[in-house]
mmCIF file with all atom_site columns, all heavy atoms in Angstrom:
data_model
loop_
_atom_site.group_PDB
_atom_site.id
_atom_site.type_symbol
_atom_site.label_atom_id
_atom_site.label_alt_id
_atom_site.label_comp_id
_atom_site.label_asym_id
_atom_site.label_entity_id
_atom_site.label_seq_id
_atom_site.pdbx_PDB_ins_code
_atom_site.Cartn_x
_atom_site.Cartn_y
_atom_site.Cartn_z
_atom_site.occupancy
_atom_site.B_iso_or_equiv
_atom_site.pdbx_formal_charge
_atom_site.auth_seq_id
_atom_site.auth_comp_id
_atom_site.auth_asym_id
_atom_site.auth_atom_id
_atom_site.pdbx_PDB_model_num
ATOM 1   N N   . THR A 1 14 ? -13.083 -0.001 1.606   1.00 90.00 ? 14 THR A N   1
ATOM 2   C CA  . THR A 1 14 ? -13.007 1.122  0.710   1.00 90.00 ? 14 THR A CA  1
ATOM 3   C C   . THR A 1 14 ? -13.442 0.675  -0.671  1.00 90.00 ? 14 THR A C   1
ATOM 4   O O   . THR A 1 14 ? -12.989 -0.273 -1.193  1.00 90.00 ? 14 THR A O   1
ATOM 5   C CB  . THR A 1 14 ? -11.513 1.636  0.626   1.00 90.00 ? 14 THR A CB  1
ATOM 6   O OG1 . THR A 1 14 ? -11.049 2.055  1.900   1.00 90.00 ? 14 THR A OG1 1
ATOM 7   C CG2 . THR A 1 14 ? -11.461 2.836  -0.427  1.00 90.00 ? 14 THR A CG2 1
ATOM 8   N N   . ASP A 1 15 ? -14.455 1.338  -1.208  1.00 89.00 ? 15 ASP A N   1
ATOM 9   C CA  . ASP A 1 15 ? -14.909 1.077  -2.557  1.00 89.00 ? 15 ASP A CA  1
ATOM 10  C C   . ASP A 1 15 ? -13.966 1.740  -3.491  1.00 89.00 ? 15 ASP A C   1
ATOM 11  O O   . ASP A 1 15 ? -13.782 2.958  -3.427  1.00 89.00 ? 15 ASP A O   1
ATOM 12  C CB  . ASP A 1 15 ? -16.329 1.603  -2.778  1.00 89.00 ? 15 ASP A CB  1
ATOM 13  C CG  . ASP A 1 15 ? -17.363 0.719  -2.038  1.00 89.00 ? 15 ASP A CG  1
ATOM 14  O OD1 . ASP A 1 15 ? -17.155 -0.527 -1.920  1.00 89.00 ? 15 ASP A OD1 1
ATOM 15  O OD2 . ASP A 1 15 ? -18.386 1.243  -1.582  1.00 89.00 ? 15 ASP A OD2 1
ATOM 16  N N   . ARG A 1 16 ? -13.346 0.979  -4.363  1.00 90.00 ? 16 ARG A N   1
ATOM 17  C CA  . ARG A 1 16 ? -12.452 1.510  -5.381  1.00 90.00 ? 16 ARG A CA  1
ATOM 18  C C   . ARG A 1 16 ? -13.038 1.204  -6.775  1.00 90.00 ? 16 ARG A C   1
ATOM 19  O O   . ARG A 1 16 ? -13.723 0.203  -6.938  1.00 90.00 ? 16 ARG A O   1
ATOM 20  C CB  . ARG A 1 16 ? -11.079 0.830  -5.247  1.00 90.00 ? 16 ARG A CB  1
ATOM 21  C CG  . ARG A 1 16 ? -10.346 1.164  -4.015  1.00 90.00 ? 16 ARG A CG  1
ATOM 22  C CD  . ARG A 1 16 ? -8.969  0.492  -3.964  1.00 90.00 ? 16 ARG A CD  1
ATOM 23  N NE  . ARG A 1 16 ? -8.328  0.870  -2.654  1.00 90.00 ? 16 ARG A NE  1
ATOM 24  C CZ  . ARG A 1 16 ? -8.495  0.275  -1.517  1.00 90.00 ? 16 ARG A CZ  1
ATOM 25  N NH1 . ARG A 1 16 ? -9.278  -0.794 -1.509  1.00 90.00 ? 16 ARG A NH1 1
ATOM 26  N NH2 . ARG A 1 16 ? -7.918  0.675  -0.446  1.00 90.00 ? 16 ARG A NH2 1
ATOM 27  N N   . THR A 1 17 ? -12.720 2.030  -7.688  1.00 92.00 ? 17 THR A N   1
ATOM 28  C CA  . THR A 1 17 ? -13.087 1.784  -9.048  1.00 92.00 ? 17 THR A CA  1
ATOM 29  C C   . THR A 1 17 ? -12.259 0.579  -9.551  1.00 92.00 ? 17 THR A C   1
ATOM 30  O O   . THR A 1 17 ? -11.202 0.249  -8.971  1.00 92.00 ? 17 THR A O   1
ATOM 31  C CB  . THR A 1 17 ? -12.840 2.964  -10.030 1.00 92.00 ? 17 THR A CB  1
ATOM 32  O OG1 . THR A 1 17 ? -11.421 3.172  -10.090 1.00 92.00 ? 17 THR A OG1 1
ATOM 33  C CG2 . THR A 1 17 ? -13.550 4.214  -9.507  1.00 92.00 ? 17 THR A CG2 1
ATOM 34  N N   . ASP A 1 18 ? -12.699 -0.081 -10.631 1.00 95.00 ? 18 ASP A N   1
ATOM 35  C CA  . ASP A 1 18 ? -11.958 -1.168 -11.177 1.00 95.00 ? 18 ASP A CA  1
ATOM 36  C C   . ASP A 1 18 ? -10.591 -0.699 -11.599 1.00 95.00 ? 18 ASP A C   1
ATOM 37  O O   . ASP A 1 18 ? -9.603  -1.407 -11.425 1.00 95.00 ? 18 ASP A O   1
ATOM 38  C CB  . ASP A 1 18 ? -12.669 -1.758 -12.401 1.00 95.00 ? 18 ASP A CB  1
ATOM 39  C CG  . ASP A 1 18 ? -13.896 -2.604 -11.979 1.00 95.00 ? 18 ASP A CG  1
ATOM 40  O OD1 . ASP A 1 18 ? -13.940 -2.995 -10.788 1.00 95.00 ? 18 ASP A OD1 1
ATOM 41  O OD2 . ASP A 1 18 ? -14.768 -2.863 -12.843 1.00 95.00 ? 18 ASP A OD2 1
ATOM 42  N N   . GLU A 1 19 ? -10.438 0.515  -12.148 1.00 95.00 ? 19 GLU A N   1
ATOM 43  C CA  . GLU A 1 19 ? -9.187  1.071  -12.563 1.00 95.00 ? 19 GLU A CA  1
ATOM 44  C C   . GLU A 1 19 ? -8.258  1.290  -11.398 1.00 95.00 ? 19 GLU A C   1
ATOM 45  O O   . GLU A 1 19 ? -7.116  0.951  -11.483 1.00 95.00 ? 19 GLU A O   1
ATOM 46  C CB  . GLU A 1 19 ? -9.442  2.383  -13.322 1.00 95.00 ? 19 GLU A CB  1
ATOM 47  C CG  . GLU A 1 19 ? -8.190  3.031  -13.919 1.00 95.00 ? 19 GLU A CG  1
ATOM 48  C CD  . GLU A 1 19 ? -7.536  2.163  -14.965 1.00 95.00 ? 19 GLU A CD  1
ATOM 49  O OE1 . GLU A 1 19 ? -8.226  1.412  -15.604 1.00 95.00 ? 19 GLU A OE1 1
ATOM 50  O OE2 . GLU A 1 19 ? -6.283  2.315  -15.145 1.00 95.00 ? 19 GLU A OE2 1
ATOM 51  N N   . GLU A 1 20 ? -8.737  1.820  -10.321 1.00 94.00 ? 20 GLU A N   1
ATOM 52  C CA  . GLU A 1 20 ? -7.955  2.037  -9.137  1.00 94.00 ? 20 GLU A CA  1
ATOM 53  C C   . GLU A 1 20 ? -7.443  0.732  -8.592  1.00 94.00 ? 20 GLU A C   1
ATOM 54  O O   . GLU A 1 20 ? -6.246  0.575  -8.270  1.00 94.00 ? 20 GLU A O   1
ATOM 55  C CB  . GLU A 1 20 ? -8.708  2.738  -7.967  1.00 94.00 ? 20 GLU A CB  1
ATOM 56  C CG  . GLU A 1 20 ? -9.024  4.217  -8.273  1.00 94.00 ? 20 GLU A CG  1
ATOM 57  C CD  . GLU A 1 20 ? -10.030 4.748  -7.240  1.00 94.00 ? 20 GLU A CD  1
ATOM 58  O OE1 . GLU A 1 20 ? -10.975 4.037  -6.824  1.00 94.00 ? 20 GLU A OE1 1
ATOM 59  O OE2 . GLU A 1 20 ? -9.845  5.955  -6.921  1.00 94.00 ? 20 GLU A OE2 1
ATOM 60  N N   . ARG A 1 21 ? -8.348  -0.258 -8.494  1.00 95.00 ? 21 ARG A N   1
ATOM 61  C CA  . ARG A 1 21 ? -7.933  -1.557 -7.983  1.00 95.00 ? 21 ARG A CA  1
ATOM 62  C C   . ARG A 1 21 ? -6.888  -2.240 -8.874  1.00 95.00 ? 21 ARG A C   1
ATOM 63  O O   . ARG A 1 21 ? -5.881  -2.768 -8.412  1.00 95.00 ? 21 ARG A O   1
ATOM 64  C CB  . ARG A 1 21 ? -9.214  -2.476 -7.880  1.00 95.00 ? 21 ARG A CB  1
ATOM 65  C CG  . ARG A 1 21 ? -8.992  -3.736 -7.137  1.00 95.00 ? 21 ARG A CG  1
ATOM 66  C CD  . ARG A 1 21 ? -10.302 -4.560 -6.964  1.00 95.00 ? 21 ARG A CD  1
ATOM 67  N NE  . ARG A 1 21 ? -11.383 -3.838 -6.373  1.00 95.00 ? 21 ARG A NE  1
ATOM 68  C CZ  . ARG A 1 21 ? -12.433 -3.343 -7.096  1.00 95.00 ? 21 ARG A CZ  1
ATOM 69  N NH1 . ARG A 1 21 ? -12.486 -3.540 -8.403  1.00 95.00 ? 21 ARG A NH1 1
ATOM 70  N NH2 . ARG A 1 21 ? -13.359 -2.664 -6.494  1.00 95.00 ? 21 ARG A NH2 1
ATOM 71  N N   . LYS A 1 22 ? -7.096  -2.085 -10.198 1.00 97.00 ? 22 LYS A N   1
ATOM 72  C CA  . LYS A 1 22 ? -6.116  -2.661 -11.154 1.00 97.00 ? 22 LYS A CA  1
ATOM 73  C C   . LYS A 1 22 ? -4.776  -2.041 -11.004 1.00 97.00 ? 22 LYS A C   1
ATOM 74  O O   . LYS A 1 22 ? -3.713  -2.753 -11.039 1.00 97.00 ? 22 LYS A O   1
ATOM 75  C CB  . LYS A 1 22 ? -6.618  -2.474 -12.583 1.00 97.00 ? 22 LYS A CB  1
ATOM 76  C CG  . LYS A 1 22 ? -7.199  -3.744 -13.228 1.00 97.00 ? 22 LYS A CG  1
ATOM 77  C CD  . LYS A 1 22 ? -7.212  -3.697 -14.752 1.00 97.00 ? 22 LYS A CD  1
ATOM 78  C CE  . LYS A 1 22 ? -8.263  -2.741 -15.232 1.00 97.00 ? 22 LYS A CE  1
ATOM 79  N NZ  . LYS A 1 22 ? -8.476  -2.926 -16.673 1.00 97.00 ? 22 LYS A NZ  1
ATOM 80  N N   . LYS A 1 23 ? -4.703  -0.707 -10.845 1.00 96.00 ? 23 LYS A N   1
ATOM 81  C CA  . LYS A 1 23 ? -3.448  -0.046 -10.714 1.00 96.00 ? 23 LYS A CA  1
ATOM 82  C C   . LYS A 1 23 ? -2.690  -0.503 -9.447  1.00 96.00 ? 23 LYS A C   1
ATOM 83  O O   . LYS A 1 23 ? -1.463  -0.735 -9.453  1.00 96.00 ? 23 LYS A O   1
ATOM 84  C CB  . LYS A 1 23 ? -3.670  1.479  -10.660 1.00 96.00 ? 23 LYS A CB  1
ATOM 85  C CG  . LYS A 1 23 ? -3.812  2.132  -11.956 1.00 96.00 ? 23 LYS A CG  1
ATOM 86  C CD  . LYS A 1 23 ? -3.886  3.634  -11.750 1.00 96.00 ? 23 LYS A CD  1
ATOM 87  C CE  . LYS A 1 23 ? -3.957  4.373  -13.043 1.00 96.00 ? 23 LYS A CE  1
ATOM 88  N NZ  . LYS A 1 23 ? -4.034  5.870  -12.864 1.00 96.00 ? 23 LYS A NZ  1
ATOM 89  N N   . LEU A 1 24 ? -3.455  -0.564 -8.317  1.00 96.00 ? 24 LEU A N   1
ATOM 90  C CA  . LEU A 1 24 ? -2.760  -0.978 -7.091  1.00 96.00 ? 24 LEU A CA  1
ATOM 91  C C   . LEU A 1 24 ? -2.258  -2.422 -7.195  1.00 96.00 ? 24 LEU A C   1
ATOM 92  O O   . LEU A 1 24 ? -1.154  -2.717 -6.765  1.00 96.00 ? 24 LEU A O   1
ATOM 93  C CB  . LEU A 1 24 ? -3.800  -0.850 -5.885  1.00 96.00 ? 24 LEU A CB  1
ATOM 94  C CG  . LEU A 1 24 ? -4.177  0.598  -5.523  1.00 96.00 ? 24 LEU A CG  1
ATOM 95  C CD1 . LEU A 1 24 ? -5.303  0.551  -4.542  1.00 96.00 ? 24 LEU A CD1 1
ATOM 96  C CD2 . LEU A 1 24 ? -2.996  1.353  -4.978  1.00 96.00 ? 24 LEU A CD2 1
ATOM 97  N N   . ILE A 1 25 ? -3.073  -3.269 -7.716  1.00 97.00 ? 25 ILE A N   1
ATOM 98  C CA  . ILE A 1 25 ? -2.650  -4.679 -7.830  1.00 97.00 ? 25 ILE A CA  1
ATOM 99  C C   . ILE A 1 25 ? -1.493  -4.842 -8.795  1.00 97.00 ? 25 ILE A C   1
ATOM 100 O O   . ILE A 1 25 ? -0.548  -5.601 -8.575  1.00 97.00 ? 25 ILE A O   1
ATOM 101 C CB  . ILE A 1 25 ? -3.855  -5.562 -8.281  1.00 97.00 ? 25 ILE A CB  1
ATOM 102 C CG1 . ILE A 1 25 ? -4.876  -5.690 -7.105  1.00 97.00 ? 25 ILE A CG1 1
ATOM 103 C CG2 . ILE A 1 25 ? -3.403  -6.974 -8.720  1.00 97.00 ? 25 ILE A CG2 1
ATOM 104 C CD1 . ILE A 1 25 ? -6.162  -6.305 -7.472  1.00 97.00 ? 25 ILE A CD1 1
ATOM 105 N N   . HIS A 1 26 ? -1.486  -4.040 -9.886  1.00 97.00 ? 26 HIS A N   1
ATOM 106 C CA  . HIS A 1 26 ? -0.346  -4.080 -10.818 1.00 97.00 ? 26 HIS A CA  1
ATOM 107 C C   . HIS A 1 26 ? 0.931   -3.700 -10.117 1.00 97.00 ? 26 HIS A C   1
ATOM 108 O O   . HIS A 1 26 ? 2.001   -4.314 -10.255 1.00 97.00 ? 26 HIS A O   1
ATOM 109 C CB  . HIS A 1 26 ? -0.633  -3.184 -12.020 1.00 97.00 ? 26 HIS A CB  1
ATOM 110 C CG  . HIS A 1 26 ? 0.485   -3.097 -13.025 1.00 97.00 ? 26 HIS A CG  1
ATOM 111 N ND1 . HIS A 1 26 ? 0.737   -4.141 -13.833 1.00 97.00 ? 26 HIS A ND1 1
ATOM 112 C CD2 . HIS A 1 26 ? 1.341   -2.133 -13.285 1.00 97.00 ? 26 HIS A CD2 1
ATOM 113 C CE1 . HIS A 1 26 ? 1.808   -3.835 -14.567 1.00 97.00 ? 26 HIS A CE1 1
ATOM 114 N NE2 . HIS A 1 26 ? 2.145   -2.581 -14.287 1.00 97.00 ? 26 HIS A NE2 1
#
Side-chain angles (χ1 to χ4, degrees):
T14 300
D15 287 326
R16 295 181 178 85
T17 66
D18 287 341
E19 183 64 26
E20 290 171 322
R21 192 176 307 103
K22 256 201 290 193
K23 278 184 175 181
L24 291 171
I25 290 170
H26 178 70

